[in-house]
Amino acid sequence: MSDYEILDPRFREMVLPNAPLERLADGFRWLEGPVWFADLQCLLFSDIPNDRVMRWTATGGVSVFREPSRFANGHTRDREGRLIGCLHGGRALVRTEYDGSVTTLADHYQGKRLNSPNDVVVKSDGSLWFSDPPYGIQTDYEGGRREPELPANLYRLDPADGSLAAVCRGIAGPNGLCFSPDETLLYVTDTGVQFDPDSPRRILVFDVAGDGRALAHGRDFHEVSPGHADGIRCDEDGNVWAAAGDGVHCIAADGTLLGKIRVPCTVSNFCFGDRHYSRLFLCASQALYAIWINRRGAQRP
Ligand code: MG
């Protein structure tokens, strides 16, 4: 039996009372960046301080997918199914080609080096939206200490011409991001300034404007506690699921906290995967967990 906290009756039918929280693997240092490959029936995820990307399958367990990974963090797949990765060490957004080679998609903006791309999502038009806080260049643990050259922006990479545009400035620590199912909204987590206990723990929401290429009307959506909202994902109905210090929180589109899936340690990020994208794979500190729920993910990379 899993440990649910039902704060709103709407949450009751979103979870499965007989679905256990499963601990799939452990022995990692700090997990992040999960992405499901339905065609390969596997999950890829980052073990950032160990500088490697891991692979999990139901039949084979865990193995190393890529090492060194240049301190890879967030992942997604583009519209052609290729792996897209954020690199702390490489300070870049990269794509793994079908032949296994790795192409740098973005590592500079206006002549200055990116900080340490953290998380990335793909929009239906093929554009890649990613956050670039300085977390990966503030410690040697998650990449390597360097001086930031740019503020912590949010970027949109145009697949047609490779151009990079800053779509949002002024967030102290832009981190996880996800589109609403109809892509009219973009949710962004702000995990604030590292080492500052008074930093914000909020989720912001923006209207997607400018022919789907820009953001407007940014406002507070929800404050997460305990911990920080790092990774976030929308389900098929537009509810926002957010990583938190005590598990995964489910927040309705109106900002109401509906309930929680309790996990014994901090969850940094998670993704929908497996059958019909209705299983959550949770990167929870040093362990990988999974749990089936009664909602499907909105975006299916
Ligand atoms: Mg993150």
Side-chain angles (χ1 to χ4, degrees):
M1 186 70 77
S2 291
D3 188 4
Y4 300 115
E5 196 171 320
I6 294 170
L7 302 167
D8 184 293
R10 287 176 279 179
F11 191 59
R12 203 172 294 278
E13 64 161 29
M14 297 184 186
V15 291
L16 301 164
N18 60 344
L21 179 68
E22 300 168 73
R23 191 178 175 100
L24 300 181
D26 53 25
F28 310 105
R29 284 217 167 91
W30 180 253
L31 296 186
E32 251 284 6
V35 58
W36 178 250
F37 278 66
D39 43 352
L40 301 175
Q41 288 293 294
C42 82
L43 181 83
L44 297 183
F45 56 102
S46 301
D47 184 4
I48 301 176
N50 280 328
D51 195 14
R52 56 188 186 171
V53 175
M54 309 301 292
R55 177 201 296 115
W56 174 89
T57 67
T59 52
V62 169
S63 56
V64 174
F65 171 74
R66 177 175 290 162
E67 185 178 23
S69 69
R70 300 171 78 195
F71 295 90
N73 186 339
H75 290 105
T76 192
R77 302 178 73 183
D78 69 10
R79 303 300 290 178
E80 288 74 42
R82 293 169 293 190
L83 177 67
I84 303 293
C86 295
L87 306 184
H88 282 184
R91 301 176 73 174
L93 187 76
V94 297
R95 179 178 65 214
T96 300
E97 310 294 352
Y98 298 128
D99 65 4
S101 61
V102 176
T103 301
T104 297
L105 300 177
D107 57 1
H108 284 77
Y109 178 67
Q110 295 183 337
K112 296 175 179 170
R113 291 196 72 179
L114 298 180
N115 295 314
S116 47
N118 189 293
D119 215 345
V120 57
V121 289
V122 64
K123 196 164 171 285
S124 59
D125 64 2
S127 58
L128 297 165
W129 300 59
F130 66 96
S131 57
D132 186 41
Y135 305 136
I137 54 170
Q138 289 180 316
T139 69
D140 290 327
Y141 191 55
E142 289 200 40
R145 279 197 301 194
R146 321 265 183 78
E147 280 301 313
E149 298 176 26
L150 287 164
N153 294 328
L154 203 68
Y155 294 100
R156 175 187 184 274
L157 183 79
D158 193 308
D161 58 10
S163 63
L164 193 62
V167 288
C168 177
R169 306 161 193 257
I171 302 177
N175 201 320
L177 60 171
C178 68
F179 286 102
S180 59
D182 62 4
E183 297 185 337
T184 60
L185 301 171
L186 181 75
Y187 296 93
V188 181
T189 64
D190 179 6
T191 46
V193 178
Q194 198 171 25
F195 309 120
D196 179 356
D198 298 321
S199 248
R201 301 153 180 250
R202 57 184 182 161
I203 303 173
L204 302 166
V205 61
F206 295 83
D207 296 330
V208 178
D211 214 15
R213 304 161 69 93
L215 298 177
H217 189 214
R219 64 254 186 212
D220 284 334
F221 171 69
H222 184 82
E223 186 116 348
V224 172
S225 179
H228 296 80
D230 189 333
I232 47 171
R233 313 276 173 178
C234 264
D235 70 22
E236 57 193 331
D237 297 326
N239 301 298
V240 178
W241 297 72
D246 58 350
V248 176
H249 296 187
C250 179
I251 304 143
D254 64 9
T256 308
L257 178 61
L258 302 179
K260 303 178 180 182
I261 299 171
R262 294 262 196 200
V263 179
C265 41
T266 294
V267 177
S268 66
N269 208 340
F270 62 98
C271 70
F272 287 87
D274 218 318
R275 202 164 55 237
H276 304 301
Y277 288 84
S278 58
R279 189 183 191 188
L280 297 181
F281 288 95
L282 314 175
C283 289
S285 304
Q286 286 79 52
L288 178 70
Y289 288 84
I291 186 166
W292 292 94
I293 63 171
N294 196 26
R295 283 294 179 276
R296 295 172 177 174
Q299 274 87 30
R300 302 178 184 192

